[in-house]
Amino acid sequence: MKAKMNKEKPETLEQARAKIDAIDTALVELLASRQFYVDQALKFKRSGYELQSPERTEQVINKVRAEAEAHALDPDLVERIYQQVTEHIIRRELKEIRP
């Protein structure tokens, strides 16, 4: 699923802020969709190791770093964001498995 980036130069500060607000809404919607599929994946995990799979985390981090670089975005920033997301997900999944 590749999102098409429609980058139109705004003519006013208000237009720029409106675009930023729309992107923020889309980001939250995408995070909610990601959480839904993470919850679905939890149904297939059988052990704490599968929850904290360092190989999968590394794979995801490498992928998003490459995506960031392809879009001229700071890969370190994207990695930090995904580290936070991953840590949150692992804590959440562990609570589901071991309440």
Side-chain angles (χ1 to χ4, degrees):
M1 176 172 86
K2 194 82 165 171
K4 181 181 176 192
M5 304 310 299
N6 185 9
K7 297 178 185 173
E8 300 170 2
K9 290 194 177 195
E11 296 182 22
T12 66
L13 176 60
E14 289 76 21
Q15 287 177 349
R17 286 180 173 167
K19 290 290 187 182
I20 292 167
D21 290 346
I23 291 167
D24 288 342
T25 297
L27 284 170
V28 171
E29 289 172 355
L30 286 170
L31 285 169
S33 293
R34 189 180 196 285
Q35 182 64 62
F36 171 80
Y37 287 106
V38 165
D39 290 347
Q40 298 306 301
L42 179 59
K43 297 174 185 177
F44 302 103
K45 296 178 181 181
R46 295 177 198 89
S47 70
Y49 179 79
E50 286 180 316
L51 295 178
Q52 301 177 61
S53 173
E55 296 86 9
R56 174 63 179 154
T57 299
E58 183 179 355
Q59 178 187 39
V60 170
I61 295 297
N62 289 338
K63 180 178 65 81
V64 297
R65 284 186 65 85
E67 282 290 325
E69 290 171 359
H71 291 281
L73 185 61
D74 182 353
D76 293 334
L77 169 64
V78 172
E79 180 175 347
R80 286 192 304 273
I81 291 167
Y82 269 80
Q83 288 288 356
Q84 288 288 312
V85 168
T86 301
E87 289 170 14
H88 171 79
I89 287 168
I90 290 170
R91 283 192 307 271
R92 191 170 177 269
E93 286 181 336
L94 287 171
K95 286 180 184 176
E96 285 289 319
I97 297 286
R98 295 180 242 155

